[in-house]
Amino acid sequence: MPYEILEKKELGSNGIIYEMVLRTPLIAKKAHAGNFILIRINETGERIPLTIADYDREKGTITLVIQVVGKSTKLLCNQSVGDQILDVVGPLGNEIHVKKYDNPIVVIGGGIGIAPCFPQAKELREAGNEIISILGARNKNLLIWKEKMKTVSDELIVTTDDGSEGIKGVVTDPLKQIMQKRKISLVIAIGPLVMMKFVALTTNGSGDLPKVKTFVSLNTIMVDGTGMCGCCRFSTLEGDIQFACVDGPDVDGHIVDFDNLLKRADRFLEQERVSLECYDDECRALEQLKKEGV
Amino acid sequence: MEIKRSTVRMLTENKDKILKAGKFKEAEFNKLIDDLSVVEHFQKRIIESIEEYGTIDISRLLSELETSEKIVDCTLEYLKEFGYLDTYGELPRFFYTEIQNLKQYSILPNVKIIRDSNLCCGCGSCVSLCPVSAITYSKGTFEIDEEVCIRCGLCYTCCPRSFFPKALNASEDKDHEITTFSEQFNFYREIITAQTTNTEITQVAQDGGIVTTLLKMAFQQDLIDGALVVTEGLEPLNPLPIFIEREEELLKTAGTKYTNSPILKEFYKYRECKKIAVVGTPCIMKALKKLSFYPLHNPFYNNIAIKIGLLCSESFDYSEITNLLENEFQSTPADVRKMDINKGRFFIYNNDGTVLDIPIKKIKKYGRLGCFFCEDLTAIHTDISVGSIGSGAGWSTVFIRTEKGAEFFQKALDLNMIEKKKIEEDSKSFKSLSRIAKFKLKSYEELHRVEMKQQDPDIRITNFEEVPLGLNEEMVEIETQRCLQCGNPLCVSGCPVNIKIPQFIKLLKQKKYIEALYKMKADNLLPAICGRVCPQEIQCEQVCIMNGLGEPIAIGHLERFIADWERKNKLKECPECAAPKEIKVAVIGAGPAGLACAGELAMNGYDVTIFEAFHAGGGVLIYGIPEFRLPKDIIKSDIETLEMLNVKMKYNSIIGKILTIEDLRDMGFKAFFIGVGAGLPIFLKVPGLSLNGVLSANEFLTRSNLMKAFRFPDYDTPVKIGKIVSVIGGGNTALDSARTALRLGAEKVFIVYRRSEAEMPARKEEYHHALEEGIEFQFLTNPVRFIGDENDKVTQMEVIKMKLGEPDESGRRRPVRIEGSEYVIDTDTIIIGIGTGANPILTKSIPELKLNKWGYIETDENGQTNLEGIFAGGDIVTGSATVITAMGAGKEAAHAIDKYIQEKYLDKK
């Protein structure tokens, strides 16, 4: 049952983003674009959700892209090929609805949100859709999977905050231009909450631009991932409650109350800091012991 | 509430049958119905009053019902006994109706249970009272013809050994000024020593011959026209009750008989007499007392002129007295002229003139079992009581208890038929009377159930250690001795998995712990869990016959003891499994239902695999119930037991996601049990739900329990707790959340519940624990909205006061808002524990599976769903219920699966 890490490589060059391939034959068999897994690295670990970025049914593997943000992601990225993850649960969440649309689909990935865009673009393109991909990153070093995305896109646009690659600016800039020029059937946006919020604001028909159906992928804090606890819940603009884990993770971007969700995402900041500090201390101590040859 | 179990109804429906039986004349019958109707109306009013005000308010009841405290007390006791009120004197919880029904049909109708529990004292009052003559006296006890019995409950109500309201112990003496009370002798006017002056009586009677002399005087003075006494029967030492109407017959009744005698069994025949003297043991007097309280004295018992009690520490069945004589004296009843107890020894006076004696201790084992449960030595419910102990040879000790008793005695004195002396209170004899009386009372009181030691509240709120600390062997020894080993044990039918409780307790009593463990595990593989979290107070213990005598056997504690003993001794005992059948069965969900089902199937030789969504087994036991209520090691250990039975555990396996039922079929599984629980939190529909600091009890408890957030940062999962925590809901989940919050460092924790204390579905024990720990309760209060600051962090909660309206479909009264009563409470963490619904993650993957409108799976009583080979049980079928109910369902389904497979696959082979 243990889930072995078969491959691991760093993406970009900041030492904070990694791609990992896990052996999970049963999950790989059932995985689809939109699904996520929950992992618990070791006995004391927490359960963290990670979107399935790719899968290989034959090899029985799934691919994850992880950015170090807190203790658990750091611990995960510190694992090596051959190491085993204690628990992997999935595939969870709803898979995306794949069909042929009349007009092109814009797939927008921001930061490591680009990775989960890949299976969506792939499956939708295989269904005969035209895919226009917009990849956004803070800078060139944090831009991932550009080449891989090219293989599933008819058109690919890159934006960076500092202009170190592609267009200087944010992903909504090229999105607006595309929407002004062409009729779009669907927008898919995966990335930081702020990015998804502005994509949704761009496509909700409130401005000059036409309204376009928009899916965003919510990577909220979760515990069980099966709808049992409501930790991942988000409020709709109408004040209803939905669960990212079972109603999503891909949901209609126009109904999400992003402002509330942004605040909810920060609710364990203090504990996350403590946890990371403890881990760093532990790592340093181990390092020290190694140096001393113990 | 409706009085469903109505004696009046049963009697009225069977009027023809009753009149035909011939005991009651029509007018008498009508009078009884009239009187009972008043009583039942009264009972109804008391329940209504409790329903309205939530608790028993005696003073309000007294003024509303214009009655005496004694009547209210007695009625309350009656209502408790008949299951309308729980043992706390409160309305039973709504979901206990099943148990109520059980009680209704098995405990109330007749006194069979008393006999089967060895409690019968053989007084015969039920035989006399039964309106259809279904009860007949037989060999020291009675038989009931169940075909004839009309289930009116009269016999149970009148039985001195069923229940006995304390209020009936009060003195009946009109003149309270001259009444003395002592613990061991209850109320009396005077204790004296006396003897007859009649030499004829001295020769035949016991000791002072007082009883015979008093009766002789009463006949002569026309104070009585009949006396109900005992005389020698056809066999020596096997006396018969006799009703005499003439003074001349008296002499043949004198002398103590050590064998019990059902003197009340034909009382209905004496209605023509107007002034009857009844002479009898304390239990007979107790029966008369009970008859006098409830309108059962009509029409037969109105004619008692005087009650003369005989001091008695125990009596013997005729068969036992024969054994006693044979074993201890190598004698037979025919050889014995007279028996006596004196100075701690038991004497027999043989016809050949020899006198033999043995210590009293030696005769105890021949005594009636029921006598062990009698608290009364000196017959406290009489006008006058007489016995040998306490006085010198040839004298009797006399307790004059009432005005009537005094009058009779004085008359005999005036006529010089009796002479009296002051009792020597310093004498050895009197002291021993006092001591034995006290001992009997105390040993009865010591029948109190064992109390489990607990962690001190002040200490336990700082840790997650278990609160109750378990029993030790000594406590188990005492507790198991209280068990009556009923022939028809109600506890077994009260247990959802029908554990053979009396046999289990018997083995414990004999210190055969391994055997006890096997006995337990034959029906319940998970005693460590059930011993802790089963609501025994509404299951096995609620129906325990010992309730009538005080407190039920602590079955749950004993169950926990044996499981702890097993773990302490590092044993893992499992019952023998049947030979492997090589048939694969899948159990989905490792909660209580799934574990029980898997265990049962494994024992039947099936190849069982449990698929569990989480990384650990136990379901709600592991994510929901906190460490301080159920240490997680225990669950681990119980699951290891299952693994020893070759049950395979597949964690991280969400069926419906990673594998579907169809996949499992392809993998060769032949049958399926779905026990996925009710894991979908219900959130209140109020504004502010997505504020930070508002969370479901499921989330809070899963973080703390399953993910061990209480050990953060050693464990990575965090849990955030504020200073003032409010928990919404009144069930075990809400209480668990509140107590966990306290242990995580909250300064103040309060529970907001929209109904009153009485409707709280939480276990009483846990409620009391919470109170001890300082959790505050705001009843009849409901949140209106949650208020947050600019960072969407909750800071306050607006609530509204509620009142109770009409009952809803659950039988509980619906809470209704009191408009305008809103107010605001400061709080920085709100935990919502108002219940759970059906989680659709599995059911959605089987679209053909029939669900009800709430999303729960529909099954027949065996757990069979509408799909072949697919069974279900536990919360996913019933909605949120108890651990043991789920286990019961799992076990039932296992039997159904076995039957299904036997028929479909094994017969074919």
Side-chain angles (χ1 to χ4, degrees), chain B residues 285-304:
Chain B
M285 296 300 152
K286 202 171 171 183
L288 290 178
K289 185 70 171 210
K290 238 179 137 184
L291 287 159
S292 71
F293 142 68
Y294 199 61
L296 302 170
H297 54 283
N298 274 328
F300 310 135
Y301 291 88
N302 284 320
N303 49 1
I304 297 175

Side-chain angles (χ1 to χ4, degrees), chain B residues 580-739:
Chain B
K581 291 193 172 66
E582 313 218 331
I583 287 190
K584 284 163 80 176
V585 180
V587 170
I588 302 161
L595 294 178
C597 182
E600 196 70 11
L601 287 168
M603 290 209 290
N604 277 311
Y606 289 97
D607 178 0
V608 185
T609 305
I610 305 185
F611 295 91
E612 164 58 41
F614 275 128
H615 53 260
V620 72
L621 304 171
I622 197 145
Y623 74 76
I625 300 178
E627 189 78 17
F628 56 84
R629 270 224 288 145
L630 181 63
K632 302 306 163 218
D633 289 356
I634 287 170
I635 302 162
K636 229 175 114 188
S637 150
D638 276 351
I639 288 172
E640 281 165 15
T641 308
L642 288 185
E643 285 175 323
M644 281 175 61
L645 299 175
N646 290 323
V647 172
K648 297 173 199 71
M649 302 297 299
K650 295 274 184 214
Y651 296 112
N652 298 320
S653 304
I654 301 172
I655 302 304
K657 291 289 184 185
I658 195 164
L659 292 166
T660 60
I661 294 267
E662 280 320 303
D663 293 332
L664 295 176
R665 280 196 204 274
D666 292 344
M667 288 159 72
F669 287 95
K670 297 283 187 254
F672 306 87
F673 174 75
I674 303 173
V676 294
L680 188 80
I682 297 172
F683 281 96
L684 286 158
K685 297 233 176 337
V686 299
L689 210 51
S690 42
L691 291 171
N692 284 343
V694 179
L695 70 165
S696 74
N698 261 14
E699 176 184 346
F700 180 67
L701 291 173
T702 304
R703 282 178 180 276
S704 183
N705 300 333
L706 176 72
M707 304 309 297
K708 300 203 174 5
F710 69 91
R711 289 173 66 185
F712 179 86
D714 292 343
Y715 280 74
D716 295 341
T717 306
V719 65
K720 224 171 164 178
I721 200 75
K723 286 196 169 86
I724 308 173
V725 177
S726 40
V727 180
I728 298 159
N732 286 321
T733 307
L735 260 59
D736 285 345
S737 302
R739 296 172 67 199

Side-chain angles (χ1 to χ4, degrees), chain B residues 416-478:
Chain B
N416 292 322
M417 295 174 80
I418 282 174
E419 57 176 311
K420 74 162 186 177
K421 284 200 299 198
K422 197 168 173 281
I423 194 123
E424 288 171 43
E425 291 193 18
D426 288 335
S427 72
K428 218 173 154 188
S429 183
F430 188 79
K431 277 183 181 161
S432 94
L433 166 67
S434 188
R435 201 187 59 238
I436 297 171
K438 219 177 248 174
F439 176 79
K440 208 153 166 54
L441 183 69
K442 219 174 142 219
S443 61
Y444 175 76
E445 279 174 353
E446 271 173 7
L447 297 175
H448 282 325
R449 93 194 224 132
V450 63
E451 225 170 279
M452 201 186 270
K453 289 206 173 69
Q454 296 183 354
Q455 259 204 86
D456 188 74
D458 293 338
I459 294 168
R460 72 185 190 231
I461 57 168
T462 63
N463 65 42
F464 274 81
E465 311 280 306
E466 212 176 353
V467 173
L469 301 172
L471 300 182
N472 58 30
E473 287 191 25
E474 202 181 323
M475 291 156 114
V476 169
E477 198 179 334
I478 296 169

Side-chain angles (χ1 to χ4, degrees), chain B residues 541-574:
Chain B
E541 292 180 14
Q542 188 184 27
V543 290
C544 174
I545 190 71
M546 285 295 288
N547 276 306
L549 290 163
E551 291 164 302
I553 307 293
I555 300 167
H557 292 1
L558 295 175
E559 182 179 17
R560 176 181 160 169
F561 168 81
I562 201 66
D564 289 353
W565 177 85
E566 179 190 24
R567 274 197 314 142
K568 207 166 82 191
N569 291 289
K570 302 204 164 38
L571 303 171
K572 280 242 156 51
E573 298 302 325
C574 350

Side-chain angles (χ1 to χ4, degrees), chain A:
Chain A
M1 191 66 95
Y3 310 89
E4 192 184 345
I5 299 170
L6 299 176
E7 288 172 40
K8 176 192 170 187
K9 66 177 180 216
E10 190 189 340
L11 301 180
S13 58
N14 281 25
I16 57 165
I17 305 177
Y18 291 86
E19 178 183 322
M20 267 184 191
V21 177
L22 286 188
R23 190 200 332 264
T24 57
L26 285 176
I27 296 174
K29 218 169 166 180
K30 290 286 163 77
H32 275 286
N35 287 146
F36 67 94
I37 54 157
L38 276 165
I39 70 164
R40 192 173 74 122
I41 303 164
N42 56 28
E43 196 49 51
T44 56
E46 60 179 334
R47 291 163 70 97
I48 53 168
L50 294 167
T51 312
I52 296 172
D54 202 357
Y55 50 83
D56 187 324
R57 298 200 203 288
E58 262 147 47
K59 286 189 191 150
T61 62
I62 57 168
T63 303
L64 305 172
V65 173
I66 311 116
Q67 180 170 1
V68 174
V69 287
K71 186 212 165 150
S72 293
T73 45
K74 195 164 190 174
L75 177 65
L76 182 57
C77 290
N78 281 347
Q79 306 296 307
S80 315
V81 170
D83 285 351
Q84 288 178 341
I85 304 294
L86 187 59
D87 297 301
V88 179
V89 196
L92 292 162
N94 298 309
E95 56 196 64
I96 59 160
H97 184 55
V98 178
K99 66 163 190 176
K100 170 79 178 81
Y101 290 87
D102 296 338
N103 299 305
I105 298 168
V106 178
V107 177
I108 305 171
I112 60 159
I114 295 168
C117 283
F118 174 77
Q120 302 211 5
K122 186 179 164 202
E123 288 188 17
L124 286 164
R125 194 155 183 261
E126 278 166 2
N129 290 295
E130 182 185 345
I131 305 292
I132 305 170
S133 296
I134 305 174
L135 312 184
R138 260 186 282 155
N139 57 52
K140 192 182 168 181
N141 288 336
L142 293 169
L143 181 68
I144 61 160
W145 277 19
K146 185 177 133 192
E147 296 308 315
K148 199 163 175 172
M149 281 301 289
K150 259 186 193 162
T151 66
V152 293
S153 308
D154 293 280
E155 192 186 338
L156 186 121
I157 303 160
V158 173
T159 70
T160 50
D161 293 1
D162 61 357
S164 54
E165 183 158 351
I167 307 164
K168 182 179 176 182
V170 291
V171 292
T172 44
D173 301 337
L175 173 65
K176 280 176 194 163
Q177 285 169 12
I178 294 165
M179 286 171 70
Q180 276 158 1
K181 277 187 287 187
R182 304 181 60 174
K183 213 170 152 71
I184 301 296
S185 280
L186 179 69
V187 172
I188 291 166
I190 309 176
L193 280 173
V194 180
M195 181 203 93
M196 294 193 286
K197 172 184 169 181
F198 283 99
V199 169
L201 283 174
T202 308
T203 60
N204 69 3
S206 60
D208 307 333
L209 295 166
K211 183 173 176 171
V212 180
K213 179 89 179 158
T214 298
F215 280 115
V216 295
S217 178
L218 301 181
N219 191 0
T220 53
I221 303 169
M222 290 185 186
V223 181
D224 64 280
T226 59
M228 273 182 56
C229 78
C231 172
C232 65
R233 70 190 186 279
F234 64 94
S235 180
T236 68
L237 289 166
E238 289 183 342
D240 292 333
I241 291 293
Q242 287 196 18
F243 291 181
C245 68
V246 287
D247 297 319
D250 294 278
V251 298
D252 181 352
H254 296 150
I255 63 162
V256 178
D257 180 350
F258 281 103
D259 293 336
N260 175 259
L261 203 49
L262 277 159
K263 288 167 184 159
R264 281 184 67 75
D266 287 347
R267 64 192 192 278
F268 288 107
L269 271 188
E270 176 58 22
Q271 282 92 337
E272 282 161 12
R273 189 184 57 73
V274 171
S275 199
L276 186 59
E277 273 173 15
C278 290
Y279 179 61
D280 285 341
D281 287 348
E282 202 180 299
C283 288
R284 269 193 295 275
L286 275 174
E287 204 61 22
Q288 191 64 33
L289 285 175
K290 254 186 211 162
K291 263 187 207 161
E292 288 163 12
V294 180

Side-chain angles (χ1 to χ4, degrees), chain B residues 190-453:
Chain B
E190 213 181 342
I191 309 174
I192 42 174
T193 182
Q195 68 175 18
T196 184
T197 54
N198 184 319
T199 49
E200 210 182 355
I201 292 177
T202 314
Q203 279 179 7
V204 289
Q206 203 86 8
D207 312 305
I210 296 299
V211 175
T212 315
T213 312
L214 281 175
L215 292 176
K216 190 178 174 75
M217 179 282 296
F219 271 122
Q220 286 173 0
Q221 299 297 312
D222 204 21
L223 294 174
I224 56 172
D225 55 7
L228 189 52
V229 286
V230 190
T231 184
E232 282 298 341
L234 296 172
E235 297 159 295
L237 303 184
N238 192 10
L240 285 175
I242 182 173
F243 187 71
I244 56 170
E245 292 177 82
R246 289 182 307 128
E247 183 198 336
E248 293 71 39
E249 295 172 285
L250 261 177
L251 276 183
K252 64 180 176 192
T253 71
T256 302
K257 316 295 181 295
Y258 285 85
T259 317
N260 78 307
S261 193
I263 71 163
L264 299 180
K265 79 178 166 102
E266 291 186 327
F267 208 98
Y268 68 95
K269 290 185 178 165
Y270 317 132
R271 71 186 102 186
E272 299 312 324
C273 286
K274 297 296 167 235
K275 295 174 284 185
I276 299 180
V278 184
V279 181
T281 49
C283 44
I284 282 161
M285 296 300 152
K286 202 171 171 183
L288 290 178
K289 185 70 171 210
K290 238 179 137 184
L291 287 159
S292 71
F293 142 68
Y294 199 61
L296 302 170
H297 54 283
N298 274 328
F300 310 135
Y301 291 88
N302 284 320
N303 49 1
I304 297 175
I306 187 161
K307 290 181 279 187
I308 303 175
L310 303 169
L311 274 53
C312 171
S313 73
E314 68 218 298
S315 72
F316 304 87
D317 284 338
Y318 177 67
S319 58
E320 287 301 317
I321 212 115
T322 315
N323 290 339
L324 164 67
L325 292 176
E326 194 180 314
N327 298 343
E328 308 293 339
F329 298 101
Q330 289 78 50
S331 179
T332 66
D335 300 330
V336 177
R337 181 173 58 87
K338 184 171 154 179
M339 292 179 281
D340 196 10
I341 291 174
N342 211 340
K343 295 184 176 135
R345 298 190 75 82
F346 180 81
F347 291 85
I348 59 166
Y349 299 86
N350 284 329
N351 289 326
D352 62 10
T354 53
V355 180
L356 300 170
D357 68 298
I358 50 167
I360 290 186
K361 266 187 207 154
K362 281 198 157 178
I363 67 165
K364 286 272 174 204
K365 62 180 173 198
Y366 301 99
R368 285 175 75 89
L369 255 177
C371 295
F372 182 61
F373 294 93
C374 172
E375 76 286 21
D376 186 8
L377 176 77
T378 60
I380 63 176
H381 304 289
T382 59
D383 297 303
I384 190 164
S385 299
V386 183
S388 65
I389 183 164
S391 294
W395 292 77
S396 295
T397 305
V398 181
F399 288 81
I400 298 171
R401 296 194 182 272
T402 63
E403 193 182 9
K404 202 186 276 170
E407 188 191 312
F408 271 64
F409 193 76
Q410 191 56 47
K411 202 141 234 172
L413 278 178
D414 293 348
L415 294 165
N416 292 322
M417 295 174 80
I418 282 174
E419 57 176 311
K420 74 162 186 177
K421 284 200 299 198
K422 197 168 173 281
I423 194 123
E424 288 171 43
E425 291 193 18
D426 288 335
S427 72
K428 218 173 154 188
S429 183
F430 188 79
K431 277 183 181 161
S432 94
L433 166 67
S434 188
R435 201 187 59 238
I436 297 171
K438 219 177 248 174
F439 176 79
K440 208 153 166 54
L441 183 69
K442 219 174 142 219
S443 61
Y444 175 76
E445 279 174 353
E446 271 173 7
L447 297 175
H448 282 325
R449 93 194 224 132
V450 63
E451 225 170 279
M452 201 186 270
K453 289 206 173 69

